[in-house]
Amino acid sequence: MAPKCSIPVIDLQDFPNQSSKLIAACEEWGCFRLLNYHELLPATLMSEMKVLVRSLLDLPEEIKRRNIDVIAGGGYVAPSPKIPLYEALGLHDMTSRHGVDDFCSQLNATTHQRETIMRYAESVHTLIVEISKKLAEGLGVKSENIGFEKWTCRARINKYHFTPQSVGTTGGPMHTDSGFLTILQDDEDVGGLEVMNKSGDFVPVDPWPGTLLVNLGDMATVWSNGRFCNVKHRVQCKEANPRVSIASFLLGPEEILEPLPELVDDDHPRVFVPTTYEDYRKLRFSTKLHAGEALALLRTPSAEK
Ligand SMILES: O=C(O)CCC(=O)C(=O)O
Ligand SMILES: [Fe+2]
């Protein structure tokens, strides 16, 4: 039976019926639970990948440290005094053979593991592009001209080392995702993820096996000319069991991203200046503004009035 779910739920097999519900979810919440996507990302592949990433996280630390940053903060993150429960591995450019090969060589992955990662990356990419097209269509924009297929995609494997002593503390600090869209394969059993609603309250996103969480990031707010919400979220320790999640990010185009011209008119002036994902990411890192506040620095002078 489906658990109680406070955030919107979208059925991928029920389009175009769900189109207005999808747009409302993006405007009100900036996230939703996705159902019925298994044609594109089979449940068996998801569980195979989960087993695989758990084994990668169990590797000795000196091997995990070989997973170096390609972009700032993009590689292995060891537990630190500031974020002691959190550990992560990063797969930069998951849709290129080269990206997957580098990641696998760093971590001594077997041929079978490499093939599983490739299949997972391809399937998640197809799915994330499909959802992005539904967003464009929901806004009345022709999705073929956007070229989502070519946008950069990366993945992060997250582990939260929850213990009896850590219950009640924060495992992953509040942030927004910097990119366009995130597909999160969360832990099947261990909860703790919370998203912020429009009133500023955190709402738990409890595990719901067989579904995915989709989050909108800062680039989606720029692209939609401020219509879509970049959801703030965090991970709290609620129980003394380790939690593992896989986040796949569609970041944005390599070139400039700007508000969709179709959403800009006299009544809706352009809210953000054009940017590239790379430049925006650098801005977030240099200002240490990780919860969407850096978007204020991209606002056009007319939007300030
Ligand atoms: O582990 C989770 O549930 C959330 C992970 C997350 O927010 C991220 O990787 O950006
Ligand atoms: Fe996130």
Side-chain angles (χ1 to χ4, degrees):
M1 207 183 72
K4 189 172 133 283
C5 184
S6 328
I7 62 168
V9 176
I10 300 293
D11 181 342
L12 191 61
Q13 280 185 353
D14 186 29
F15 275 82
N17 286 341
Q18 302 254 309
S19 197
S20 52
K21 194 175 165 198
L22 173 69
I23 298 304
C26 296
E27 290 175 342
E28 289 296 310
W29 286 85
C31 68
F32 51 91
R33 274 277 180 207
L34 186 71
L35 312 184
N36 287 327
Y37 53 82
H38 283 121
E39 256 176 36
L40 300 180
L41 176 61
T44 45
L45 181 54
M46 284 174 65
S47 41
E48 244 183 278
M49 183 69 176
K50 212 33 149 357
V51 171
L52 190 162
V53 303
R54 283 180 196 276
S55 73
L56 294 181
L57 286 159
D58 284 338
L59 287 167
E61 187 177 332
E62 69 268 20
I63 296 192
K64 289 187 279 195
R65 284 197 182 277
R66 291 200 224 138
N67 176 222
I68 46 165
D69 287 356
V70 178
I71 47 174
Y76 178 62
V77 177
S80 64
K82 224 171 139 201
I83 315 180
L85 308 175
Y86 179 73
E87 189 183 12
L89 289 164
L91 166 49
H92 186 69
D93 204 1
M94 67 195 276
T95 50
S96 88
R97 171 109 233 167
H98 192 66
V100 175
D101 277 346
D102 278 353
F103 177 79
C104 290
S105 313
Q106 287 161 349
L107 300 173
N108 296 341
T110 63
T111 308
H112 181 67
Q113 287 176 322
R114 194 176 294 239
E115 277 163 13
T116 304
I117 296 172
M118 288 291 277
R119 277 194 296 130
Y120 186 86
E122 273 169 29
S123 302
V124 166
H125 182 240
T126 308
L127 177 58
I128 208 163
V129 166
E130 186 61 30
I131 303 166
S132 304
K133 288 181 176 170
K134 298 266 185 281
L135 293 183
E137 285 154 19
L139 291 171
V141 174
K142 283 213 170 63
S143 59
E144 312 86 70
N145 307 335
I146 297 179
F148 290 118
E149 297 81 2
K150 292 194 246 74
W151 290 16
T152 316
C153 212
R154 63 179 294 262
R156 180 157 63 211
I157 297 156
N158 302 302
K159 182 166 185 179
Y160 305 85
H161 296 266
F162 293 158
T163 63
Q165 293 72 35
S166 67
V167 173
T169 66
T170 298
M174 182 183 82
H175 65 281
T176 60
D177 295 341
S178 55
F180 181 71
L181 209 62
T182 307
I183 287 186
L184 185 77
Q185 181 181 343
D186 52 333
D187 199 286
E188 299 70 36
D189 302 307
V190 183
L193 177 63
E194 298 182 340
V195 297
M196 192 183 274
N197 66 15
K198 276 268 187 234
S199 318
D201 299 319
F202 276 111
V203 174
V205 180
D206 293 328
W208 183 357
T211 74
L212 292 165
L213 181 75
V214 179
N215 283 343
L216 276 76
D218 295 354
M219 287 293 107
T221 302
V222 172
W223 180 79
S224 63
N225 200 33
R227 264 180 77 171
F228 288 168
C229 174
N230 48 343
V231 64
K232 292 191 177 75
H233 51 287
R234 68 177 183 186
V235 177
Q236 292 295 97
C237 173
K238 297 196 172 155
E239 61 179 279
N241 288 309
R243 179 173 184 280
V244 173
S245 67
I246 308 169
S248 305
F249 306 98
L250 186 65
L251 300 178
E254 265 180 48
E255 58 281 9
I256 292 281
L257 181 102
E258 60 183 344
L260 283 168
E262 292 87 340
L263 301 187
V264 177
D265 57 31
D266 288 347
D267 295 333
H268 305 91
R270 197 159 78 169
V271 183
F272 299 106
V273 298
T275 184
T276 63
Y277 173 76
E278 277 303 310
D279 285 348
Y280 180 66
R281 189 180 168 93
K282 283 184 197 141
L283 186 66
R284 277 188 35 141
F285 268 81
S286 63
T287 55
K288 296 194 171 61
L289 298 172
H290 292 290
E293 310 89 334
L295 279 182
L297 306 170
L298 294 185
R299 288 179 83 85
T300 56
S302 60
E304 298 301 333
K305 284 184 203 143

